[in-house]
Amino acid sequence: MTMRMLIDARHREETRVAVVKGNRIEEFDFESAERKQLKGNIYLAKVTRVEPSLQAAFVDYGGNRHGFLAFSEIHPDYYQIPKEDREALLREEAEHAAEEARRREEEDDLEPLDGHHDDDGQDHDRPDSDLENDQDDEEDARPSSENAGGENGHDDNSARALRAKRMALRRRYKIQDVIHRRQVLLVQVVKEERGNKGAALTTYLSLAGRYCVLMPNTTHGGGISRKISNAADRKRLKTIMAELDLPPTMGCIVRTAGLQRTKTEIRRDF
């Protein structure tokens, strides 16, 4: 069945978008001059309820409804566990992340030099498009199972195994054991409130600039957007990133908008 996206922008004060499958509306959203957009905003929040059955927490961040915070979106720094255990967990994750990064470097070195950059058809230089595009670049650069593998099947499988092992490190804990009611967290909105559902939140912050995205508490994130596919461009940008001297607890991604930018421009944006 055909799916269509219908956009109504006849009125300046409101734009409405609907995803239609046949005669049925699958999704509906709108932007209004009267409604304050929350996505990308950062708040100091307090845990109001921990739900063991969902392995998630509901937090009060000042919105119309309590926000939803999945256990996988909570940084270990917030775990109420002994300091030694927390440091050991972070150290193990950092070691696995470093190994993943090393394998991605090897995969990039194997890429042909005659690659090309695919234009995604968006004007990434517009300041008002930052919040919409930074997440795309962030997902493209993160070591996910979809983009961690290269052309070599062995590298692909080993990268997936490494990521699975790193993600399994936290499964030794349950949210009800490490997160407590009235605990204060710093959260960012990743999905707006919809219907009766509250906003989806994360404690992994991302701050979008024009040419790069800074992730102040993400040790296993960073690099170059996968949309930049030319090997020579990736090598040049990696050299620039290496000179930024990022601390080990921080990640940074060069966005597609930074492809043709100089070292000075990227450093200034960072």
Side-chain angles (χ1 to χ4, degrees):
M1 190 174 292
T2 304
M3 294 191 69
R4 296 180 299 163
M5 179 180 289
L6 307 179
I7 302 174
D8 178 9
R10 291 175 295 178
H11 305 290
R12 183 178 300 178
E13 64 274 11
E14 183 173 291
T15 301
R16 296 177 290 179
V17 180
V19 177
V20 180
K21 186 174 183 179
N23 294 325
R24 178 177 175 178
I25 296 178
E26 296 289 330
E27 290 186 59
F28 175 78
D29 198 8
F30 69 95
E31 289 186 359
S32 173
E34 298 179 354
R35 187 182 70 166
K36 183 180 179 181
Q37 184 169 335
L38 302 178
K39 186 176 179 181
N41 289 356
I42 297 174
Y43 300 94
L44 198 62
K46 184 179 291 186
V47 177
T48 58
R49 188 169 92 249
V50 176
E51 194 60 57
S53 60
L54 298 175
Q55 282 299 292
F58 292 91
V59 303
D60 181 7
Y61 66 99
N64 296 324
R65 299 178 182 81
H66 288 171
F68 180 84
L69 181 62
F71 187 30
S72 61
E73 296 295 336
I74 301 177
H75 193 281
D77 277 344
Y78 293 112
Y79 291 4
Q80 301 296 301
I81 57 179
K83 182 180 179 181
E84 296 77 12
D85 294 345
R86 185 186 303 110
E87 290 177 347
L89 175 61
L90 291 171
R91 185 167 56 251
E92 289 180 66
E93 287 195 357
E95 291 172 355
H96 284 80
E99 180 64 18
E100 284 183 60
R102 186 185 65 80
R103 301 207 176 200
R104 293 201 308 276
E105 290 283 347
E106 293 176 353
E107 292 165 11
D108 286 340
D109 291 340
L110 293 175
E111 290 180 356
L113 292 176
D114 59 347
H116 64 279
H117 168 63
D118 293 327
D119 186 4
D120 55 8
Q122 297 182 8
D123 182 8
H124 293 280
D125 286 337
R126 294 191 310 168
D128 60 355
S129 66
D130 284 346
L131 289 178
E132 289 79 1
N133 296 325
D134 70 317
Q135 291 184 343
D136 294 337
D137 288 311
E138 184 176 337
E139 290 300 321
D140 288 333
R142 281 184 186 274
S144 65
S145 57
E146 288 79 15
N147 60 34
E151 296 178 358
N152 188 304
H154 175 72
D155 290 341
D156 187 21
N157 293 333
S158 60
R160 292 189 183 206
L162 278 170
R163 176 171 172 78
K165 190 173 182 180
R166 175 166 58 78
M167 297 303 291
L169 292 174
R170 303 185 193 182
R171 292 179 188 154
R172 67 187 70 166
Y173 301 104
K174 299 293 184 182
I175 190 170
Q176 63 268 26
D177 300 326
V178 298
I179 299 298
H180 304 300
R181 190 166 174 262
R182 296 191 183 91
Q183 185 173 344
V184 176
L185 311 169
L186 193 65
V187 299
Q188 185 171 29
V189 178
V190 294
K191 185 179 289 187
E192 295 276 356
E193 297 178 354
R194 290 193 176 186
N196 295 325
K197 293 183 179 180
L201 309 173
T202 183
T203 62
Y204 290 95
L205 310 181
S206 62
L207 308 175
R210 288 179 66 85
Y211 310 130
C212 56
V213 180
L214 180 66
M215 296 174 290
N217 60 348
T218 303
T219 57
H220 56 275
I224 313 300
S225 172
R226 286 284 178 177
K227 293 177 183 177
I228 300 176
S229 57
N230 184 282
D233 289 333
R234 294 182 66 83
K235 186 175 181 179
R236 178 181 63 84
L237 292 173
K238 284 180 181 178
T239 302
I240 295 175
M241 292 294 291
E243 295 176 357
L244 295 179
D245 294 327
L246 283 168
T249 58
M250 187 178 294
C252 187
I253 297 169
V254 176
R255 304 175 60 181
T256 52
L259 175 61
Q260 304 295 337
R261 302 300 170 178
T262 65
K263 180 194 302 184
T264 303
E265 289 176 309
I266 293 177
R267 179 181 289 276
R268 186 185 298 119
D269 187 63
F270 165 73

